Amino acid sequence: MLPSTLLSTGMILPRIRCASIDHGASLARIATARTAWRLDPSRLVRFRSLSTVEAPRNLVKDRWEPIIGLEIHAQIKSNTKLFSDSRNIFNAPTNTNVSLIDAAYPGTLPQLSQECVELAVKTSLALDAHVYPISSFDRKHYFYPDLPQGYQITQHYEPLAQNGKIVISPLDGLDYSLTVGIEQLQLEQDTGKSLHDVYPDMTLMDLNRAGTGLMEIVTKPDMRTSKEAGILVKKLQALLRAVNSSDGNMDEGSMRCDVNVSVHEPGKPFGARCELKNLNSIKAVMDAIDAEVERQIACYESRIPVLQETRGFDVSSGKTFKIRSKESAPDYRYMPEPDLPRLVISPETIQLLRTSLPELPDARRERMMEKYQVGMIETRTLMGEEHMVEFFESLVSSGRQVKSAISWTIHELLGRLHTRGIKFSPDVVTSSQLGSLIDCVDQGQISAKVGKAVLDMMIEGDNRDANAIIEEKGWKQVNNREELDTMCDNILAKYPEKVTVIQKGNMGVLGFLVGQVLKQSQGRANPVIVNELLRTKMGLPKDTGEKAKRKD
């Protein structure tokens, strides 16, 4: 958060204040004022078409073009809720973080959270959106048990920011580049949570989530395939985590997606739009889009009209189903929020928040690939796990080889965590632990095979560094040539027929002899030295190292 010394009485943020509003003003006046403000050339607001792909692409059955837009609700990673001092904690005991404001007791008044506004502004700037110095709140009326007020406070008419973009490219896994426009980002409050599966004949209500701050991020309908939508959600997830404005954990509900889908033939008007609600994984988003596109095409081809409606997605059947007819703006009876004045943010504050932005995913990816000469796949893997880039950079900052750090971080550590169903965290195996293990392998103290056994112990809870584990287990690699020379003599004497085969030119059998020496030493013999000694004893040319077989 910004320094508290910059705050003054009545301000929500430094130079961000709540201005008085004429609540008798009509919605038309509000819209007219906003339009005039946008057209003021001194504000330097540029409006443009953001899609980089103009011609129809990815037609289904060489005839139908899907039109896809997303509405993404990201829960703000703030300490308190949007309009109250209640704590914002995931999975807290039921109804323990509920204030009188959250429960909508008569006479209570909302007070806007400074932290929520800051994080929403930073997210808007990270999306290259224009943050408006003036925005306002509105009431969206609908009645549901998990909405205590009977309305939701949102920003329908004057959102916080508009006109942003996200660029997805081959570096993100797409075969081409595409710029998806961000229509707007608005602040709003979340609902409570209905629990239908505790008792069969009743619904229970948990209001811990009620009033939590949300950022609703609405894209333009610039996507045409489920793959484009899936990549965009994943990229937005990474951006939110980089800014630290949201956890973006779809499995925990801190990021939820609604998808708008329609289908038409290029050159003809867009078809009826259906909204797919509450998709809680990237796979669900992609599967739901494919299912809905298939359904709408089947309707059109059978001359069945497609109606504008809200639909859900059944994961088990892979089909969408009708929830209700789609509401329109008049159904929600939007009106200016009378208990909250307009939010005013100074240009200086916006610039201050802009300079506080961390390194964003695209810039980080470019830096990683250029600085460390890391491939696209490895970079994408490192950036796909929260805190893994910092973990990797702490390993190489001490002078370790990038190749070794990549191998042990991605292939060994991450691979083992995924096999065990453990989410990556720098606390499972610390960078100090893994660094000590890499050092032991690279310095020849242990073989890679022993190193993997050490890593398994670390994952299973041993918090010692590699040296302590190796010392206790007696796994330190044997590099003494005299000791290894004796072992090699024993193996050559035991398998004279293998020696003959090798001397006749079948070098593949050499790996067998190396393996027998390693077996005799219980895996502790240095395979490079063993290979060299065996070659010398059999009168073979020295190996250059490129084809040495290591029994790891």
Side-chain angles (χ1 to χ4, degrees):
M1 294 176 63
L2 296 171
S4 58
T5 54
L6 296 177
L7 298 176
S8 63
T9 304
M11 293 185 180
I12 301 302
L13 288 173
R15 303 294 297 281
I16 296 182
R17 58 188 175 83
C18 292
S20 61
I21 181 171
D22 179 5
H23 299 304
S26 66
L27 299 182
R29 279 184 60 194
I30 293 176
T32 302
R34 187 61 178 268
T35 302
W37 184 89
R38 285 183 190 172
L39 296 178
D40 182 353
S42 67
R43 303 296 183 179
L44 300 178
V45 182
R46 294 188 301 148
F47 292 85
R48 58 198 182 278
S49 175
L50 291 171
S51 178
T52 58
V53 182
E54 301 294 340
R57 63 186 189 277
N58 299 313
L59 296 182
V60 179
K61 296 184 177 181
D62 295 323
R63 178 184 177 187
W64 301 100
E65 182 182 39
I67 305 296
I68 302 165
L70 300 178
E71 297 176 14
I72 298 162
H73 296 85
Q75 198 173 92
I76 300 175
K77 193 177 178 180
S78 56
N79 291 314
T80 59
K81 296 183 181 181
L82 184 59
F83 296 119
S84 78
D85 291 333
S86 298
R87 301 293 294 173
N88 177 22
I89 303 173
F90 174 72
N91 239 2
T94 306
N95 290 318
T96 55
N97 293 324
V98 185
S99 69
L100 297 179
I101 295 175
D102 306 326
Y105 271 56
T108 57
L109 293 174
Q111 183 175 355
L112 185 59
S113 161
Q114 170 181 334
E115 185 183 12
C116 287
V117 175
E118 286 181 5
L119 292 173
V121 170
K122 291 175 72 172
T123 302
S124 303
L125 296 172
L127 289 168
D128 197 24
H130 180 83
V131 177
Y132 290 111
I134 300 175
S135 60
S136 64
F137 292 92
D138 310 288
R139 289 186 180 182
K140 177 183 180 181
H141 292 85
Y142 64 95
F143 297 95
Y144 203 74
D146 59 15
L147 192 66
Q149 298 159 295
Y151 59 85
Q152 178 191 41
I153 300 178
T154 182
Q155 292 187 304
H156 180 66
Y157 291 106
E158 296 185 317
L160 181 69
Q162 288 183 317
N163 240 38
K165 67 176 185 290
I166 294 181
V167 179
I168 52 180
S169 70
L171 293 175
D172 301 303
L174 199 63
D175 296 331
Y176 45 86
S177 291
L178 173 68
T179 301
V180 177
I182 301 298
E183 181 70 34
Q184 65 188 49
L185 183 149
Q186 62 193 48
L187 280 166
E188 59 186 31
Q189 58 184 168
D190 207 347
T191 63
K193 188 175 182 180
S194 301
L195 306 173
H196 305 289
D197 53 358
V198 179
Y199 297 104
D201 57 345
M202 66 176 67
T203 295
L204 303 183
M205 200 61 55
D206 181 5
L207 295 182
N208 277 344
R209 198 176 68 183
T212 298
L214 288 179
M215 295 176 287
E216 181 176 358
I217 302 167
V218 183
T219 77
K220 294 181 183 294
D222 290 339
M223 289 159 284
R224 300 294 179 264
T225 70
S226 61
K227 183 177 182 180
E228 292 174 0
I231 291 174
L232 183 131
V233 172
K234 189 170 185 179
K235 187 158 188 176
L236 178 59
Q237 199 174 45
L239 185 142
L240 293 172
R241 288 170 177 169
V243 175
N244 203 30
S245 59
S246 176
D247 287 328
N249 295 328
M250 300 186 75
D251 55 336
E252 295 180 358
S254 61
M255 181 172 170
R256 309 187 290 275
C257 282
D258 300 337
V259 183
N260 292 299
V261 180
S262 68
V263 171
H264 77 130
E265 294 181 82
K268 295 184 179 181
F270 286 176
R273 173 172 56 88
C274 293
E275 183 179 18
L276 309 176
K277 294 290 288 185
N278 294 329
L279 302 170
N280 59 5
S281 72
I282 294 175
K283 185 178 187 303
V285 169
M286 297 174 68
D287 290 347
I289 290 172
D290 290 336
E292 181 61 15
V293 168
E294 181 180 348
R295 184 192 74 86
Q296 291 189 22
I297 290 175
C299 287
Y300 286 128
E301 291 181 339
S302 301
R303 299 187 180 280
I304 300 172
V306 174
L307 303 177
Q308 182 171 319
E309 58 191 13
T310 299
R311 302 181 67 85
F313 177 64
D314 186 341
V315 177
S316 58
S317 67
K319 304 290 184 182
T320 66
F321 58 91
K322 181 177 178 178
I323 299 177
R324 59 181 179 268
S325 298
K326 178 64 180 170
E327 298 90 346
S328 58
D331 296 322
Y332 290 120
R333 295 180 294 118
Y334 286 103
M335 61 170 282
E337 170 53 61
D339 293 332
L340 285 169
R342 300 173 95 176
L343 179 62
V344 180
I345 311 176
S346 72
E348 294 81 8
T349 297
I350 295 173
Q351 182 57 33
L352 185 61
L353 291 170
R354 188 190 302 276
T355 56
S356 71
L357 284 175
E359 183 180 41
L360 298 179
D362 282 353
R364 170 170 283 192
R365 179 177 59 197
E366 183 178 345
R367 178 180 64 81
M368 292 283 293
M369 295 179 70
E370 182 177 340
K371 180 176 180 180
Y372 301 112
Q373 296 298 300
V374 180
M376 181 175 66
I377 295 175
E378 289 82 2
T379 303
R380 193 183 301 161
T381 303
L382 288 172
M383 294 181 61
E385 301 286 341
E386 194 172 7
H387 303 305
M388 185 173 271
V389 169
E390 293 84 357
F391 186 90
F392 164 77
E393 292 196 296
S394 70
L395 290 174
V396 297
S397 64
S398 300
R400 297 184 182 94
Q401 293 183 5
V402 170
K403 185 177 180 180
S404 295
I406 286 288
S407 177
W408 282 98
T409 302
I410 295 178
H411 304 301
E412 304 302 339
L413 175 58
L414 189 60
R416 280 166 164 73
L417 293 178
H418 284 175
T419 300
R420 291 167 169 81
I422 301 173
K423 183 178 176 62
F424 173 83
S425 166
D427 298 325
V428 177
V429 175
T430 67
S431 60
S432 174
Q433 282 183 293
L434 189 62
S436 69
L437 175 55
I438 294 172
D439 292 341
C440 287
V441 174
D442 287 353
Q443 294 167 10
Q445 296 182 43
I446 57 173
S447 66
K449 181 177 181 180
V450 172
K452 294 172 186 177
V454 173
L455 181 58
D456 286 332
M457 292 181 64
M458 291 176 173
I459 293 173
E460 289 162 9
D462 195 323
N463 58 9
R464 295 175 296 171
D465 66 15
N467 291 292
I469 296 174
I470 293 165
E471 187 69 29
E472 181 197 274
K473 294 292 184 180
W475 285 346
K476 193 167 185 180
Q477 189 161 262
V478 177
N479 294 312
N480 185 290
R481 286 180 172 268
E482 291 184 4
E483 187 176 349
L484 294 176
D485 192 82
T486 302
M487 292 183 187
C488 289
D489 287 338
N490 292 338
I491 294 301
L492 291 175
K494 187 175 180 179
Y495 298 101
E497 71 284 358
K498 301 291 187 184
V499 174
T500 303
V501 172
I502 293 171
Q503 290 174 333
K504 288 182 178 180
N506 190 347
M507 299 301 298
V509 182
L510 178 59
F512 171 80
L513 297 181
V514 174
Q516 292 303 306
V517 176
L518 293 176
K519 184 177 179 180
Q520 183 181 347
S521 68
Q522 298 180 328
R524 296 171 57 224
N526 186 321
V528 176
I529 299 177
V530 169
N531 186 289
E532 178 187 333
L533 290 172
L534 289 174
R535 283 175 172 272
T536 301
K537 291 178 180 295
M538 289 187 289
L540 302 175
K542 288 185 178 181
D543 192 354
T544 60
E546 297 178 1
K547 297 182 180 180
K549 303 293 184 181
R550 296 181 60 121
K551 291 294 180 178
D552 295 340

